[in-house]
C-alpha cells in the first residue's frame, strides 16, 4: 500500500504524501524564582530545532513564555535575569492585599525586556496565553489579548505575597492556584502535541527550611499548587528539571537553574523528535 497509514479513532487514515506535522505547544508552569529554568528549556528546544507554535504559561511560566513569544531570545533572557533582584520588581506595602506591591514588574517587563514598548498580544510572533485566576469568581482566566505586561503581572501575582491586579473588572491572582501546568490551555490555542515544563517536582518544594514569613507563605502556597498539576496529564511530554532543592525565592542561582532546564530538556529531545517524526523523511 502506498502512503503512510495512521490510526485515528476507529478509522485508518492513509496519507498520500507527507502529512502535516503536529502543531507543538508549550505549557510552562509556575515556580517563582525557579522560572529561570524555563530559559534553559527554551535554549535546548531551539538548538534542536523543535518547533514551537503556541505557548500557555502560568506565573513565572507566563513571564518566560510571554517574553519568548514577543521575540526575546533565551540568550537575552539569560542576560536580563543575571542582574534581577526582587527590589527591582517589588516593594513592601501595608499588608492589605499582599506583603509586596507587584506593580513594578510591569515597568520592568516593558522598560528592561521590551525596550520601552507596551507590546500587545497582537504583536506577538507566537500565539500565547497567560493563565490567571479570578479570586472573586474562582474562574480560570486565560488572557490572550491586550497589553502583554499587564497579563504577565496578573498571572504572577501569588496571593498573600504579591498584590492582586485589577484587570477589566476582575481581581486576578496567580493562575497556579487553579492550574499550574496549563496543558489544556495550550491545546485550546491549537496545539496537537504539548510539551509541559514542571518546576514543582514531587518531594521538596521550598528547597530549605523557611527563614521568614515570605518564604513560609510562598512555600505553603506552592505546596498547594502542586495539587493543580493534574492538567499536566494532558501533555505528551513533561520536562521536570532537577531543581527541588532550590528555594522559590532564590534569584541568585541563575546559571544552575538554566543548566537544570537544559539538561532535563536534552534528556527528552530524542523522544520529542521521534514523536514529531522530525528525523524522518518522506515515506
Amino acid at each position: 500500500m502506498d502512503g503512510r497509514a495512521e490510526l485515528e479513532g476507529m478509522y485508518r487514515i492513509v496519507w498520500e504524501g507527507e502529512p502535516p506535522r503536529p502543531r507543538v505547544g508549550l505549557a510552562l508552569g509556575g515556580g517563582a524564582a525557579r522560572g529561570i529554568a524555563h530559559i534553559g528549556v527554551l535554549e535546548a528546544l531551539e538548538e534542536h530545532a523543535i518547533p514551537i507554535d503556541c505557548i500557555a504559561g502560568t506565573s513565572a511560566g507566563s513571564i518566560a513564555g510571554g517574553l519568548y513569544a514577543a521575540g526575546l531570545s533565551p540568550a537575552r533572557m539569560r542576560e536580563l535575569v543575571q542582574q534581577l533582584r526582587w527590589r527591582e520588581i517589588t516593594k513592601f506595602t501595608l499588608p492589605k492585599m499582599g506583603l509586596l506591591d507587584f506593580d513594578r514588574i510591569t515597568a520592568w517587563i516593558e522598560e528592561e525586556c521590551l525596550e520601552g514598548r507596551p507590546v500587545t498580544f497582537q504583536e506577538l510572533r507566537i500565539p500565547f496565553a497567560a493563565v490567571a485566576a479570578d479570586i472573586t469568581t474562582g474562574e480560570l482566566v486565560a488572557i490572550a489579548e491586550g497589553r502583554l505586561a499587564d497579563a504577565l503581572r496578573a498571572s504572577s501575582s501569588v496571593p498573600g505575597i504579591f498584590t492582586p491586579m485589577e484587570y477589566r473588572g476582575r481581581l486576578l491572582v496567580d493562575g497556579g492556584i487553579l492550574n499550574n501546568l496549563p496543558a489544556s490551555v495550550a491545546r485550546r490555542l491549537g496545539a496537537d502535541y504539548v510539551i509541559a515544563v514542571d518546576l514543582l517536582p514531587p518531594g521538596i518544594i521550598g528547597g530549605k527550611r523557611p527563614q521568614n514569613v515570605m518564604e513560609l507563605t510562598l512555600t505553603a502556597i506552592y505546596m498547594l499548587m502542586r495539587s493543580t498539576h493534574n492538567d499536566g496529564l494532558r501533555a505528551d511530554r513533561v520536562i521536570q528539571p532537577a531543581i527541588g532543592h532550590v528555594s522559590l525565592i532564590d534569584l541568585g542561582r541563575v546559571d544552575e537553574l538554566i543548566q537544570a532546564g537544559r539538561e532535563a530538556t536534552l534528556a527528552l529531545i530524542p523522544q520529542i523528535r521521534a514523536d514529531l517524526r522530525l528525523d524522518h523523511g518522506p515515506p
Side-chain angles (χ1 to χ4, degrees):
M1 181 183 294
D2 294 330
R4 178 183 299 165
E6 298 177 346
L7 187 64
E8 179 71 23
M10 297 295 293
Y11 301 95
R12 185 176 176 83
I13 301 173
V14 178
W15 287 90
E16 296 293 346
E18 185 72 8
R21 68 164 177 81
R23 284 176 51 82
V24 180
L26 293 183
L28 304 182
R34 292 183 187 175
I36 293 168
H38 287 311
I39 299 172
V41 173
L42 293 168
E43 279 185 355
L45 293 175
E46 272 197 358
E47 289 169 8
H48 290 269
I50 305 300
I52 300 173
D53 298 294
C54 58
I55 304 171
T58 299
S59 196
S62 74
I63 296 175
L67 294 179
Y68 189 74
L72 268 73
S73 68
R76 176 57 180 151
M77 283 191 267
R78 182 191 284 263
E79 291 176 3
L80 288 165
V81 297
Q82 287 285 357
Q83 304 302 319
L84 181 62
R85 299 294 180 267
W86 286 112
R87 64 178 177 272
E88 294 182 55
I89 56 176
T90 65
K91 66 178 180 179
F92 283 102
T93 184
L94 293 175
K96 180 181 179 182
M97 297 283 273
L99 294 174
L100 298 172
D101 187 320
F102 205 35
D103 286 343
R104 284 185 177 181
I105 195 169
T106 304
W108 180 80
I109 289 168
E110 291 188 340
E111 294 172 12
E112 298 297 326
C113 304
L114 302 176
E115 299 180 346
R117 296 192 308 117
V119 172
T120 66
F121 278 81
Q122 289 68 33
E123 299 173 78
L124 301 182
R125 65 184 183 91
I126 299 173
F128 167 72
V131 176
D134 186 322
I135 199 66
T136 304
T137 67
E139 295 173 305
L140 187 75
V141 180
I143 307 173
E145 65 176 14
R147 189 169 164 179
L148 179 65
D150 288 343
L152 304 187
R153 188 259 197 252
S155 176
S156 306
S157 300
V158 180
I161 298 292
F162 303 129
T163 49
M165 182 171 183
E166 293 279 358
Y167 186 87
R168 299 187 177 184
R170 295 180 179 272
L171 188 63
L172 298 183
V173 298
D174 194 312
I177 66 172
L178 294 177
N179 189 341
N180 200 45
L181 208 58
S184 60
V185 178
R187 292 202 184 276
R188 286 298 301 272
L189 286 172
D192 305 303
Y193 181 91
V194 176
I195 302 168
V197 183
D198 178 4
L199 303 182
L200 302 177
I204 298 173
I205 293 293
K208 65 175 184 177
R209 185 185 182 95
Q211 300 298 310
N212 52 58
V213 67
M214 179 177 172
E215 274 193 88
L216 178 65
T217 305
L218 197 63
T219 301
I221 289 171
Y222 274 102
M223 283 181 175
L224 294 173
M225 285 185 183
R226 188 72 185 79
S227 67
T228 72
H229 279 207
N230 292 338
D231 198 34
L233 298 174
R234 301 193 62 183
D236 296 278
R237 296 287 175 183
V238 179
I239 297 169
Q240 285 188 326
I243 54 177
H245 62 288
V246 179
S247 169
L248 293 161
I249 67 169
D250 192 347
L251 291 172
R253 302 172 76 167
V254 171
D255 292 336
E256 179 183 352
L257 286 166
I258 292 176
Q259 185 61 26
R262 283 181 57 84
E263 290 176 358
T265 305
L266 291 173
L268 284 181
I269 287 293
Q271 294 96 313
I272 293 171
R273 290 190 65 85
D275 292 345
L276 299 174
R277 298 185 64 85
L278 294 177
D279 298 317
H280 294 262

